[in-house]
Amino acid sequence: MDMEALRHGNFAALGTAVEDWTGVIRHLVDMEKRARDDLRTKANRANWAGVNATVSREFINRTAGEFADAAKQATSIRNILRDVRSELVGYRDELNRAIDRGWNKSLSVVGTKGGGFTVYVNVHPEPVGSKEAMELLRDELQGILTKATESDSTAGRALQALANHAEYGFSSGPAYKDRDAAADAMKAADDMAKIVNKDPESRTDSDLAKLNDHLKKFGQDPLFAEQFALAAGPKETLQFWAEVTDRYAGVKGSQLNELQDLQENLSLTLAAATYSDSAPMKEWKRDLISEGNTNFRADPANSLKGPIGAIGFQVISSLMSQGKYDSEFLGEYGRKILKSDMAPAGAVGMHTKDVWTSPDQSADLVFGKGNGHDPLIGFMDALSHNAEASVDVFDEKSTLDHVLQSTKYTDRGESVGRALEVAVSGVEFGNVSNEPSPHSKTQVEIMRNVMNAVAQPDGGADLVDKSIGASFGHMASGYMPEISQALTGRGSESIFLTNSADSQGLERSDVERFLYEVAQDDSGRAAIRLGETIYTSSLLEAHISDPSLFRGEESIPIKAIAANAGLVEGIVGHAAADLEISGSLEAQKSENEALKSQGDLYKAFASAGVGMGAVALAPQHLSGQMVGAAGGGFFGGIVGLAVDRMMGGREVEGALDESLYASGKGLAHAQESVVSQTQDAAKDAASEHGSKMSEDSRAYWILEGVNAGWTRSDQVLEDIHARPGA
């Protein structure tokens, strides 16, 4: 800080800037509220078709989000400016008071070229003790200037980082309450990077604990994340993790938990850093990806550990399982890693495991959660946290086919399943959507390709293994509107309501085979049944509460919905029967546990919001007003009762005296369960909305419809699938 600049500083202009930014914040907050409550809500409820159903809605949603980010960033800028102005004014006044005290002691202060200063005695002869007084004043003034310089430079650094973080638009993240908060974050980043770059022989357990604490505290701070990544360096960060996982291989108990926590927080921090579009971070991301084939040996001097350490792709992916990485970064990384994964010749996906497995490799990058050798697992986990990136990856059919087929020969099925769920639903893993998420044409196409792969008679059924069955069931659950229209045919749009951009985009024969094959898995079967129950219940409630949705006889939609329920549940019921579940108590126990697990999952998400990516549910009025969930309250009590009936063993009057869909009871019991469940859902809806519809007629229409659908399911499976005993 220039001595004369501070001494004579006039910070009125800075004060005006603070006032201007305060006004900007006020307007941005107002616009953000209007965009969120008005613009985005109307966009999501609009009954758009074609390009508007995807591009326009997505653009409006992103724009609404930009207002929120803009308000946060403006608040940070205002707070930093306000704080640094207050500090500089304080340092200016402190400096002038010190100079005045020196004058009273016959000491003068003058600035020198370059921003320095000189203290001298202004009387002759010099008073006793003048030399000591000069030194004390010099040190005091220098201390004030040092603090002012720190305040000014750290504020400038933070403001520049905020401005450079996003090349277009605004950076997301917390709003900084003052200059100190931003400066502390950046200083902490530098300090933690030193631990990463420390010689491994001198890096202690307490160093790692300190690093973990700071990553946990600051990791989601965009300034910290970027500065940490830059200061640590891309290659150095990967080397650090290779060293840590090697040194602590085999640890147990609390130390294992601490290291897994460190891995999670490091992953979250690096994910946050990838959102910066500053020139240094762009280079960092390019350099990180370029290390994909580098051999990271934890101890190059120890030949006993073999010539092969961890490959760069393996290290990078081991730090991707947590956090939402930037879409563009994931796209670039995905293209490079998938090129290697798809390199072996031969049957699709068959030899992919050989790419990443070596007998000389000893690395365990994930502390016993597998071994970290397959980098596609971490990459798929990253996709499950980024819907945009997952869609972009699986939109390429050759990639989708390869990744799906590779699950037969690897242990990546569960991670692939979660990534596919996110791709077709648009709701990221672990998140809850508070409004229906419409399926784009691209998402429906991905779902169609998945169904086609599973429906193939020469090995498609094998894809349901490897821990992916539950995900297939979730996907079917979320696509019940499109599935229902595919099974029923054209002309059913006014009955099977949806906000899908391509409601007729699925192939009927693939749908039928897909449902049958997925229903061979306990969790997949439970998810399909829950999805069918939820969609059927909300549809019945929609049509019973508002008969104008269908312009025709009131019996037609009731029968059609019931027939569809009978058809779907019939396919599922026959799949279960073909497994001969009734012959094994262990199999029955497994099925019941799967139903309970899936039911608890669905209920937990249902109580928190509309869906989880597995439960799409929200039918719409043809006018565009949502009948499901947030729009009309239909995703609530009625659906909740339906799920409770499936799980809770509630007595069903006049039909069953035990829980619905109880395993081991055979097809007749399952068919009765569909009838009872559908009739009860309609009864609940009629009671809730005061329907004038005849109860006896409604019950008979449902009985007739379910039985017709069930009968059709048997014929469908005879036509499209070779079944046991056929």
Side-chain angles (χ1 to χ4, degrees):
M1 172 67 69
D2 188 299
M3 162 49 182
E4 291 298 324
L6 181 61
R7 183 178 185 181
H8 303 293
N10 181 354
F11 300 107
L14 198 52
T16 300
V18 172
E19 292 176 1
D20 290 344
W21 276 104
T22 299
V24 169
I25 294 166
R26 186 168 56 251
H27 290 302
L28 285 172
V29 169
D30 179 60
M31 286 189 285
E32 188 273 332
K33 185 176 185 301
R34 289 163 57 191
R36 182 187 69 244
D37 296 343
D38 187 26
L39 186 65
R40 184 163 60 184
T41 299
K42 288 180 178 178
N44 285 337
R45 291 184 178 182
N47 191 28
W48 282 331
V51 173
N52 271 334
T54 52
V55 177
S56 295
R57 181 182 279 115
E58 182 179 359
F59 172 78
I60 289 172
N61 283 334
R62 287 194 174 190
T63 301
E66 285 284 341
F67 281 116
D69 291 341
K72 282 185 179 180
Q73 189 163 338
T75 300
S76 294
I77 292 170
R78 189 276 312 276
N79 290 350
I80 292 171
L81 287 174
R82 182 174 60 189
D83 195 45
V84 74
R85 177 188 179 278
S86 175
E87 288 183 354
L88 290 177
V89 167
Y91 293 137
R92 179 198 64 188
D93 294 344
E94 186 179 349
L95 182 76
N96 285 324
R97 286 194 299 268
I99 291 173
D100 289 343
R101 288 195 304 273
W103 179 261
N104 293 333
K105 296 178 181 179
S106 301
L107 300 176
S108 292
V109 181
V110 294
T112 60
K113 187 177 181 179
F117 65 93
T118 297
V119 180
Y120 65 92
V121 180
N122 58 26
V123 296
H124 187 76
E126 293 183 359
V128 176
S130 292
K131 182 179 179 181
E132 292 78 4
M134 288 170 57
E135 291 176 351
L136 288 172
L137 180 58
R138 180 200 62 198
D139 292 346
E140 182 181 5
L141 296 179
Q142 187 59 58
I144 296 170
L145 287 173
T146 299
K147 290 186 289 185
T149 301
E150 175 72 10
S151 176
D152 183 57
S153 63
T154 54
R157 187 183 177 199
L159 290 170
Q160 185 176 34
L162 282 171
N164 293 339
H165 195 268
E167 183 175 9
Y168 304 104
F170 304 90
S171 62
S172 59
Y176 299 101
K177 65 179 182 179
D178 51 33
R179 180 204 62 84
D180 285 346
D184 288 348
M186 300 187 77
K187 182 179 185 304
D190 289 332
D191 291 342
M192 294 306 102
K194 292 175 183 176
I195 294 177
V196 170
N197 291 317
K198 198 171 184 178
D199 183 279
E201 294 300 320
S202 59
R203 189 189 298 122
T204 64
D205 292 353
S206 60
D207 284 334
L208 295 183
K210 182 178 180 182
L211 174 62
N212 188 36
D213 288 342
H214 280 73
L215 294 180
K216 186 179 298 184
K217 180 179 180 181
F218 292 106
Q220 297 305 290
D221 182 317
L223 297 189
F224 172 91
E226 176 179 0
Q227 183 57 31
F228 171 79
L230 292 174
K235 186 172 184 177
E236 293 79 2
T237 301
L238 300 182
Q239 182 63 41
F240 161 77
W241 192 245
E243 292 165 356
V244 168
T245 53
D246 178 77
R247 177 179 176 181
Y248 293 95
V251 297
K252 298 179 180 179
S254 61
Q255 191 173 27
L256 173 61
N257 295 333
E258 290 167 4
L259 288 164
Q260 290 175 339
D261 196 36
L262 173 61
Q263 184 170 19
E264 176 178 345
N265 290 319
L266 181 56
S267 178
L268 289 167
T269 302
L270 296 179
T274 61
Y275 282 87
S276 172
D277 285 325
S278 68
M281 271 307 300
K282 286 182 177 179
E283 184 178 358
W284 184 95
K285 286 180 274 191
R286 285 194 298 269
D287 290 346
L288 185 76
I289 293 173
S290 71
E291 298 292 342
N293 290 310
T294 301
N295 181 14
F296 286 90
R297 293 186 61 198
D299 188 358
N302 188 345
S303 60
L304 295 177
K305 290 189 176 180
I308 300 177
I311 304 303
F313 284 125
Q314 296 170 326
V315 187
I316 297 169
S317 291
S318 74
L319 296 171
M320 278 189 164
S321 292
Q322 301 294 329
K324 184 176 180 178
Y325 278 79
D326 173 65
S327 299
E328 186 176 348
F329 170 78
L330 287 176
E332 290 295 326
Y333 181 71
R335 279 185 282 276
K336 190 165 183 180
I337 194 173
L338 285 166
K339 183 178 180 180
S340 295
D341 201 66
M342 298 168 70
V348 177
M350 179 177 289
H351 301 293
T352 187
K353 189 173 184 178
D354 299 336
V355 176
W356 310 113
T357 302
S358 168
D360 295 322
Q361 190 178 56
S362 60
D364 175 8
L365 298 163
V366 289
F367 293 111
K369 296 179 178 179
N371 57 22
H373 288 184
D374 184 356
L376 260 289
I377 292 176
F379 177 58
M380 289 294 130
D381 288 343
L383 291 183
S384 75
H385 295 117
N386 188 317
E388 180 182 27
S390 65
V391 169
D392 289 344
V393 167
F394 291 120
D395 184 29
E396 183 64 46
K397 189 175 186 301
S398 60
T399 299
L400 173 64
D401 289 340
H402 166 79
V403 172
L404 263 180
Q405 294 299 327
S406 73
T407 62
K408 297 178 182 179
Y409 314 105
T410 64
D411 296 320
R412 62 178 64 157
E414 185 175 357
S415 294
V416 170
R418 286 199 296 262
L420 284 171
E421 283 186 61
V422 172
V424 301
S425 71
V427 181
E428 286 147 6
F429 183 70
N431 288 355
V432 178
S433 174
N434 60 6
E435 52 195 23
S437 180
H439 300 148
S440 68
K441 288 181 70 69
T442 301
Q443 288 174 311
V444 176
E445 183 178 1
I446 294 171
M447 185 66 183
R448 180 170 64 245
N449 289 335
V450 171
M451 286 185 159
N452 179 259
V454 175
Q456 294 304 308
D458 54 345
D462 295 338
L463 291 171
V464 183
D465 294 334
K466 309 295 285 188
S467 304
I468 203 173
S471 288
F472 285 145
H474 295 162
M475 293 158 69
S477 173
Y479 273 73
M480 275 299 152
E482 292 94 338
I483 285 173
S484 300
Q485 289 196 28
L487 292 175
T488 307
R490 292 192 178 276
S492 62
E493 297 87 350
S494 59
I495 295 175
F496 297 102
L497 309 173
T498 179
N499 54 7
S500 174
D502 190 9
S503 62
Q504 295 281 335
L506 303 180
E507 294 290 335
R508 188 182 75 178
S509 60
D510 285 349
V511 168
E512 293 164 346
R513 292 181 67 94
F514 178 82
L515 291 174
Y516 180 85
E517 301 298 357
V518 174
Q520 301 280 312
D521 176 82
D522 289 341
S523 294
R525 181 166 61 256
I528 293 172
R529 280 179 164 161
L530 283 156
E532 178 279 313
T533 295
I534 289 168
Y535 187 58
T536 294
S537 299
S538 58
L539 271 182
L540 286 169
E541 187 171 8
H543 285 283
I544 288 172
S545 68
D546 186 358
S548 67
L549 286 172
F550 181 79
R551 298 172 184 174
E553 295 180 18
E554 64 178 358
S555 65
I556 293 177
I558 305 300
K559 286 182 179 179
I561 294 168
N564 185 69
L567 175 56
V568 172
E569 292 289 355
I571 293 173
V572 172
H574 282 91
D578 289 347
L579 285 172
E580 299 181 350
I581 287 175
S582 59
S584 168
L585 291 176
E586 183 177 346
Q588 291 180 40
K589 180 181 179 182
S590 175
E591 183 185 29
N592 290 336
E593 288 176 349
L595 181 60
K596 182 181 186 309
S597 174
Q598 292 297 315
D600 289 342
L601 182 66
Y602 278 47
K603 284 188 67 177
F605 279 96
S607 65
V610 171
M612 59 178 184
V615 192
L617 330 160
Q620 284 185 308
H621 282 295
L622 298 180
S623 64
Q625 296 299 313
M626 287 179 292
V627 172
F634 292 104
F635 187 74
I638 305 304
V639 166
L641 290 173
V643 175
D644 282 340
R645 277 192 294 271
M646 286 190 68
M647 299 173 60
R650 172 190 164 204
E651 182 176 326
V652 182
E653 183 178 349
L656 306 171
D657 58 359
E658 54 195 53
S659 61
L660 297 168
Y661 308 111
S663 62
K665 292 295 183 180
L667 286 171
H669 176 91
Q671 186 174 355
E672 291 174 10
S673 294
V674 184
V675 173
S676 299
Q677 177 74 301
T678 310
Q679 287 176 336
D680 273 10
K683 183 177 180 180
D684 291 337
S687 176
E688 175 72 19
H689 299 283
S691 171
K692 306 283 188 204
M693 187 182 294
S694 165
E695 183 175 347
D696 289 343
S697 295
R698 186 184 66 240
Y700 184 76
W701 295 336
I702 289 173
L703 174 66
E704 189 177 40
V706 168
N707 288 340
W710 192 277
T711 300
R712 182 185 164 199
S713 73
D714 191 55
Q715 184 59 52
V716 161
L717 292 175
E718 292 294 335
D719 291 342
I720 59 97
H721 202 287
R723 293 164 55 211

